[in-house]
Amino acid sequence: MIPSERLWGLLALLALPMALAGFFPGLGGAVLALDALALALAAFDYLLARRVRLEVHRTLPERLNVGVANRVEVRLVQRGRGTVQVRVKDDAPSDFTTEPDEATLRLTPDSQTQWVYRATPVKRGKFAFGNVHVRVKGPLGLMSQERTFVAARSVSVYPDLRGARRLLLSGAALDLVNLGLRQLRRDGRGSEFARLRDYAQGDSVRDVDWKATARRGRPVTRVLESERSQALLICVDAGRSMAAQVDGLTKLDHAVNAALFLAFVAIRNGDRVGLALFADGVKAYLPPAAGRGQYRKLVDTLYSATPSLTYVDYLALFKELNVRLNRRSLLCVFTDFLDEEQANTLVAPLHRLARRHVPLCLSVKDTALQKLLRTPPTGPEQAFQHAVASELLSDREVLKARVSRGGVQMLDVAPDELSLAAVNRYLDIKARGVL
């Protein structure tokens, strides 16, 4: 039972003549009668609100993506004759941001109305939506009745796999430019002939088969295929530095999204893909394998990965790889270089691994530090922050230079560029026959 602003305003107005009742005998009784009438009308209004027949149903995607504004639909069905005004609010998980938080709707007789809002998870894992709350306003506007509709449901928040889905929808993933992935290089610079296909925007003139073009009377492209069934091991750092927030997500979330996109492209290319999730030790290991079943295993392993507030033991990781990896492989290590002392332990063992394998280090740039340096300091505290940020970025550049020696490749890119940069470098390594 919720009084409205209209009721409080009416009672406040009736309080004024009550204050004058001391000067005008008999006025107090009339005011009390008006107060009683107002309360009776409010009770009647509440009873009318209770008589409204409502049904509420919530519709969610089967899988939600972290950092994505997922569509949530709440459908309200009114089984009555009159027009009703309601306020709706959904119990979304506390780790979600919702836009808008609630809505005011007008329901016409015997109708159904949809309220659509966007829920953006900031973490991966299992979460629970609660009930849906509806506040029904009485026809007189004096009272509202709040109802709770049982709609509890658990949901799973997965890494952002939209890029992989879009690539899958492209069929053979030949016309990537039309998908908006304009920075993604085409595979097909290998040495083995695969097939002929119609020329597509973005194809190199060197790949045009002029004899086939003359026979068919339209441009035809010759597709070359890189060697298949090579090994790719994706190593994802889940230590404390990966818990840092960059552009609304943790560095680990950005690394997981990029790792799964890279794995999807590699498996579509016929390569075998494995995974090592590590922090102060190896938390999970999947040996390289091919096929869609392997991709599902990678998703299930990374779906619930969370940063551990511990140091990162690179030596334990590389010892494990020395034992498990017998075949020359591409090692894609998603990690961070913000902790200089910790990152120093990466350099020597990674250079030793470069004698047998092809190591590639990938990290997410600290855009917040770069943005801070672009803003002029306005006081002593800001000047101190500038100095610390400048020193951190300088140390990071020194570490990157040390890592990139001895046959180790290095990528340090913005969060929104990490997925495409990883795939581009993988395709480049394949095309050059380094593996």
Side-chain angles (χ1 to χ4, degrees):
M1 186 182 281
I2 313 247
S4 69
E5 294 180 0
R6 181 179 296 180
L7 178 60
W8 289 119
L10 179 60
L11 294 176
L13 286 175
L14 292 175
L16 294 176
M18 181 61 76
L20 299 175
F23 302 97
F24 300 96
L27 185 60
V31 174
L32 288 176
L34 291 174
D35 284 340
L37 177 61
L39 293 176
L41 288 173
F44 179 66
D45 198 33
Y46 173 73
L47 291 176
L48 292 178
R50 281 193 60 181
R51 293 182 61 184
V52 175
R53 291 182 296 165
L54 282 180
E55 296 176 11
V56 175
H57 308 277
R58 184 206 292 125
T59 303
L60 289 168
E62 291 185 5
R63 290 185 174 187
L64 305 183
N65 292 323
V66 66
V68 177
N70 300 272
R71 175 189 169 99
V72 181
E73 179 184 299
V74 178
R75 183 165 55 91
L76 297 93
V77 181
Q78 203 230 143
R79 303 291 186 186
R81 297 179 180 176
T83 299
V84 182
Q85 182 175 312
V86 299
R87 284 176 61 190
V88 191
K89 184 175 178 62
D90 196 4
D91 273 344
S94 58
D95 289 312
F96 287 26
T97 58
T98 55
E99 180 64 34
D101 288 333
E102 59 181 47
T104 300
L105 306 173
R106 198 169 188 84
L107 309 180
T108 54
D110 288 320
S111 66
Q112 60 178 358
T113 304
Q114 292 179 344
W115 171 48
V116 176
Y117 71 94
R118 302 287 174 173
T120 306
V122 296
K123 294 180 180 178
R124 288 168 284 104
K126 281 275 189 183
F127 298 90
F129 276 78
N131 299 321
V132 179
H133 304 280
V134 179
R135 187 172 292 182
V136 182
K137 192 173 186 179
L140 302 178
L142 298 176
M143 295 291 289
S144 295
Q145 184 214 10
E146 186 163 309
R147 306 183 188 182
T148 298
F149 293 86
V150 177
R153 177 182 168 184
S154 62
V155 294
S156 298
V157 178
Y158 281 81
D160 185 5
L161 306 179
R162 292 175 301 166
R165 291 196 188 107
R166 292 178 68 194
L167 194 58
L168 180 62
L169 291 174
S170 69
L174 298 176
D175 196 2
L176 299 173
V177 175
N178 292 336
L179 287 174
L181 303 177
R182 301 183 184 276
Q183 298 175 346
L184 186 60
R185 301 189 190 122
R186 297 172 183 274
D187 195 13
R189 295 186 183 178
S191 56
E192 298 181 6
F193 174 79
R195 62 189 176 277
L196 295 174
R197 62 171 172 82
D198 288 342
Y199 178 86
Q201 181 184 1
D203 285 345
S204 172
V205 177
R206 293 177 297 174
D207 295 331
V208 174
D209 190 307
W210 298 107
K211 291 183 179 180
T213 297
R215 286 196 304 268
R216 299 186 185 184
R218 62 180 183 276
V220 175
T221 298
R222 182 172 55 251
V223 179
L224 301 178
E225 186 175 62
S226 299
E227 183 183 349
R228 291 173 175 266
S229 194
Q230 293 177 315
L232 164 64
L233 185 72
I234 299 174
C235 306
V236 179
D237 178 357
R240 61 189 175 194
S241 62
M242 299 295 280
Q245 292 272 340
V246 181
D247 291 356
L249 295 176
T250 65
K251 290 188 175 183
L252 179 58
D253 283 317
H254 290 296
V256 166
N257 293 341
L260 288 176
F261 189 33
L262 173 60
F264 181 87
V265 175
I267 287 175
R268 286 297 299 270
N269 270 349
D271 286 336
R272 298 177 298 110
V273 181
L275 172 70
L277 183 68
F278 66 98
D280 53 348
V282 178
K283 304 296 184 182
Y285 182 82
L286 291 175
R292 292 188 177 183
Q294 177 72 356
Y295 184 73
R296 286 193 290 270
K297 290 180 183 178
L298 294 170
V299 173
D300 291 339
T301 303
L302 290 175
Y303 141 76
S304 58
T306 55
S308 302
L309 299 182
T310 60
Y311 71 97
V312 176
D313 192 344
Y314 293 109
L315 290 176
L317 169 67
F318 295 136
K319 284 179 181 178
E320 187 89 9
L321 299 186
N322 270 326
V323 173
R324 291 181 178 268
L325 287 181
N326 298 320
R327 182 176 175 180
R328 183 174 174 83
S329 306
L330 171 60
L331 305 179
C332 293
V333 183
F334 291 88
T335 188
D336 187 59
F337 298 104
L338 199 58
D339 188 332
E340 181 181 4
E341 182 179 351
Q342 176 179 283
N344 277 327
T345 63
L346 166 71
V347 179
L350 195 59
H351 287 170
R352 285 195 294 270
L353 273 176
R355 300 169 189 169
R356 294 178 54 199
H357 304 286
V358 182
L360 169 61
C361 276
L362 306 103
S363 63
V364 178
K365 281 186 177 179
D366 283 283
T367 53
L369 293 179
Q370 294 175 332
K371 184 178 179 181
L372 176 64
L373 290 178
R374 289 195 295 267
T375 305
T378 58
E381 184 176 350
Q382 288 77 14
F384 175 74
Q385 292 175 351
H386 263 241
V388 172
S390 178
E391 184 176 354
L392 285 173
L393 291 178
S394 176
D395 291 343
R396 186 185 184 92
E397 293 301 318
V398 171
L399 279 170
K400 283 165 52 181
R402 290 181 58 197
V403 168
S404 58
R405 297 172 191 154
V408 179
Q409 301 191 45
M410 178 77 208
L411 283 176
D412 185 35
V413 296
D416 57 346
E417 300 173 2
L418 184 61
S419 295
L420 288 178
V423 171
N424 282 338
R425 186 58 62 90
Y426 156 77
L427 295 177
D428 184 59
I429 290 171
K430 290 274 292 181
R432 290 189 289 111
V434 177
L435 279 175

